[in-house]
């Protein structure tokens, strides 16, 4: 299979990731729940992963690293810690349903969309500057659109939030492991990310990086291995937000994924993905009738390219590609707001997205298959 859906999950993983998963499943029990060797091995692995993530994202303190099921879980914790009925919240025009649905579920939240055109970071910054007014309770911003790969100017948006003393939640689902993300510089309230995309960990892993402020609200409650006689959740991180047994095999795999990205280097990964995306975009433009959502040089864009064929159903083309063993994503990608912003809400798009394991030959196969489908 030619896998071009890394924006959903990085299907190909380093061998070390799967070996770590198997070792943990065989040799480790539950961390913090015993003093015997299997529990100690688990606790040591979980701490090593916290430390590796803390170092990678410059989070200063590994205890600020909270393990979650995925980025959606992490975003729900972050959003429901800061946003309450009556809150005023500013979001970008490219947010995923993992942001918009929790806001809708809270209810009575005034959500202001800082709308900006694709691939125009200055326009995005201007929109946030206009939208963040006195009385804003939180800002939520994706670093990279999962649909179009457009990169939002998160450093400048974070600076704006600090100046106006508004807490910022960053959705790093499409940027973690690909773009620089320095938490000590950005100083957000929370950063949410999956472990299974750009960090090459297994599915079922996510990360929430917290500020030093302890969240007043918890999403779930239960055992933590600490303060067992107390019926309220601990008031310290990470225990406050990690109720129940950890996904130790997943965390062990994530540790190896972070090590893989560190060895390869995010600059190399980013440039490799961008080169493949640029080749795909240029090749698609040469095919008749295809509308490609990309800048000529992929400036302000990561390794994600969406396209469509006006008058043709994107799902049908996706099925044609699937029959040729080419995996892409079609439709709305759980981000209708992004499609509304880009003007593709009626049709959706076909999305191709790359990882460190893709090759130029994968792009050639994609272009050949799309070209044949037009005959």
């Amino acid at each position: 299979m030619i896998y071009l859906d890394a924006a959903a999950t990085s299907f190909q993983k380093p061998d070390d990731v799967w070996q770590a998963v198997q070792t943990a499943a065989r040799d480790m029990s539950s961390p913090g729940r015993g003093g015997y060797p299997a529990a100690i091995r688990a606790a040591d692995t979980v701490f090593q992963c916290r430390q590796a993530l803390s170092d990678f994202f410059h989070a200063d303190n590994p205890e600020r690293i909270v393990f979650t099921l995925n980025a959606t879980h992490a975003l729900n914790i972050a959003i429901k810690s800061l946003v309450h009925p009556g809150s005023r919240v500013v979001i970008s025009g490219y947010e995923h349903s993992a942001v918009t649905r929790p806001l809708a579920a809270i209810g009575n939240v005034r959500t202001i969309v800082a709308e900006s055109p694709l691939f125009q970071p200055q326009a995005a910054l201007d929109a946030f500057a206009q939208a963040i007014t006195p009385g804003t309770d939180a800002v939520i911003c994706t670093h990279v659109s999962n649909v179009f790969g457009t990169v939002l100017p998160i450093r400048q948006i974070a600076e704006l939030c600090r100046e106006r003393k508004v807490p910022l939640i960053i959705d790093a689902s499409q940027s973690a492991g690909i773009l620089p993300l320095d938490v000590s510089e950005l100083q957000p309230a929370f950063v949410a990310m999956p472990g299974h995309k750009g960090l090459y960990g297994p599915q079922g892993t996510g990360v929430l990086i917290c500020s030093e402020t302890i969240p007043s609200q918890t999403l779930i409650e239960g055992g933590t291995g600490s303060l067992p006689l107390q019926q309220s959740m601990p008031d310290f991180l990470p225990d406050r937000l990690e109720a129940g047994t950890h996904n130790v095999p997943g965390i062990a795999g994530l540790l190896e994924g972070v090590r893989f990205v560190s060895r390869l280097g995010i600059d190399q990964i980013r440039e490799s993905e961008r080169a493949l995306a640029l080749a795909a975009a240029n090749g698609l433009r040469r095919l008749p009738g295809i509308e490609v959502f990309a800048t000529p040089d992929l400036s302000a864009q990561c390794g994600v390219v969406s396209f469509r064929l006006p008058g043709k159903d994107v799902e049908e083309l996706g099925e044609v590609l699937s029959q040729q063993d080419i995996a892409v994503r079609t439709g709305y990608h759980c981000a209708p707001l992004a499609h509304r912003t880009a003007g593709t809400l009626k049709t959706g798009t076909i999305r191709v997205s790359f990882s460190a394991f893709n090759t130029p030959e994968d792009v050639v196969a994609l272009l050949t298959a799309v070209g044949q489908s037009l005959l």
Side-chain angles (χ1 to χ4, degrees):
M1 176 176 63
I2 295 173
Y3 187 76
L4 301 176
D5 196 21
T9 192
S10 53
F11 183 70
Q12 301 104 324
K13 312 286 185 183
D15 288 341
D16 288 348
V17 168
W18 297 129
Q19 291 172 8
V21 170
Q22 292 172 1
T23 298
R26 183 180 61 243
D27 296 339
M28 299 178 194
S29 64
S30 188
R33 268 72 168 181
Y36 49 88
I40 293 173
R41 285 193 294 269
D44 182 58
T45 297
V46 169
F47 179 77
Q48 285 185 55
C49 192
R50 282 194 217 280
Q51 186 67 65
L53 288 162
S54 179
D55 293 343
F56 191 86
F57 294 106
H58 307 282
D60 298 331
N61 186 346
E63 293 180 353
R64 294 173 60 188
I65 305 296
V66 173
F67 292 114
T68 63
L69 296 173
N70 43 49
T72 296
H73 181 196
L75 283 165
N76 268 264
I77 294 173
I79 291 168
K80 292 170 184 177
S81 295
L82 296 180
V83 181
H84 311 284
S87 292
R88 183 184 191 277
V89 179
V90 175
I91 66 175
S92 81
Y94 298 96
E95 298 308 313
H96 191 275
S97 293
V99 168
T100 58
R101 282 182 172 175
L103 292 175
I106 293 169
N108 192 29
V109 174
R110 187 183 176 198
T111 302
I112 310 300
V113 180
E115 296 183 348
S116 60
L118 282 167
F119 316 123
Q120 296 187 29
Q122 185 58 52
L125 180 60
D126 293 343
F128 273 98
Q130 184 174 354
I132 302 171
T133 57
T136 299
D137 296 292
V139 171
I140 309 171
C141 185
T142 187
H143 194 178
V144 176
S145 166
N146 73 306
V147 181
F148 301 102
T150 187
V151 180
L152 279 81
I154 204 67
R155 185 175 61 81
Q156 293 90 336
I157 291 170
E159 183 178 2
L160 185 65
C161 290
R162 292 196 303 272
E163 290 173 354
R164 302 188 183 184
K165 295 180 170 48
V166 179
L168 170 65
I169 299 171
I170 299 173
D171 178 0
S173 293
Q174 303 300 331
S175 63
I178 301 168
L179 294 179
L181 194 62
D182 187 328
V183 172
S184 65
E185 176 192 7
L186 298 173
Q187 298 180 34
F190 297 98
V191 181
M193 65 187 70
H196 62 94
K197 295 187 183 183
L199 295 175
Y200 294 91
Q203 293 178 33
T205 57
V207 176
L208 181 66
I209 305 178
C210 304
S211 69
E212 295 182 359
T213 302
I214 305 299
S216 59
Q217 300 296 317
T218 53
L219 190 63
I220 57 173
E221 296 77 38
T224 61
S226 58
L227 305 180
L229 301 182
Q230 178 176 301
Q231 288 307 295
S232 59
M233 290 297 287
D235 61 355
F236 52 85
L237 294 174
D239 295 39
R240 183 166 182 77
L241 301 177
E242 289 185 355
T245 300
H246 293 77
N247 175 10
V248 175
I251 293 170
L254 176 57
L255 172 58
E256 292 304 324
V258 174
R259 287 171 172 169
F260 167 78
V261 174
S262 297
R263 287 194 303 271
L264 207 57
I266 60 172
D267 292 341
Q268 180 176 332
I269 292 172
R270 180 176 66 254
E271 291 312 310
S272 173
E273 291 184 7
R274 183 169 288 170
L276 294 171
L278 182 59
N282 289 338
L284 288 166
R285 286 192 185 98
R286 289 193 288 267
L287 297 175
I290 292 184
E291 181 181 10
V292 181
F293 296 90
T295 57
D297 59 354
L298 255 66
S299 59
Q301 190 171 0
C302 274
V304 177
V305 175
S306 269
F307 66 99
R308 63 179 177 176
L309 291 78
K312 293 192 178 182
D313 188 277
V314 296
E315 303 284 356
E316 290 181 6
L317 180 53
E319 179 60 27
V320 169
L321 295 175
S322 178
Q323 291 171 1
Q324 299 184 54
D325 253 358
I326 299 174
V328 298
R329 178 79 182 270
T330 61
Y332 295 102
H333 321 95
C334 299
L337 179 58
H339 285 282
R340 191 190 78 182
T341 298
T344 55
L345 192 57
K346 289 184 178 181
T347 61
T349 62
I350 302 162
R351 182 188 70 190
V352 296
S353 50
F354 300 92
S355 79
F357 290 92
N358 287 118
T359 65
E361 288 75 20
D362 295 338
V363 176
V364 172
L366 169 71
L367 297 175
T368 300
V370 174
Q372 290 175 346
S373 73
L374 300 178
L375 299 177

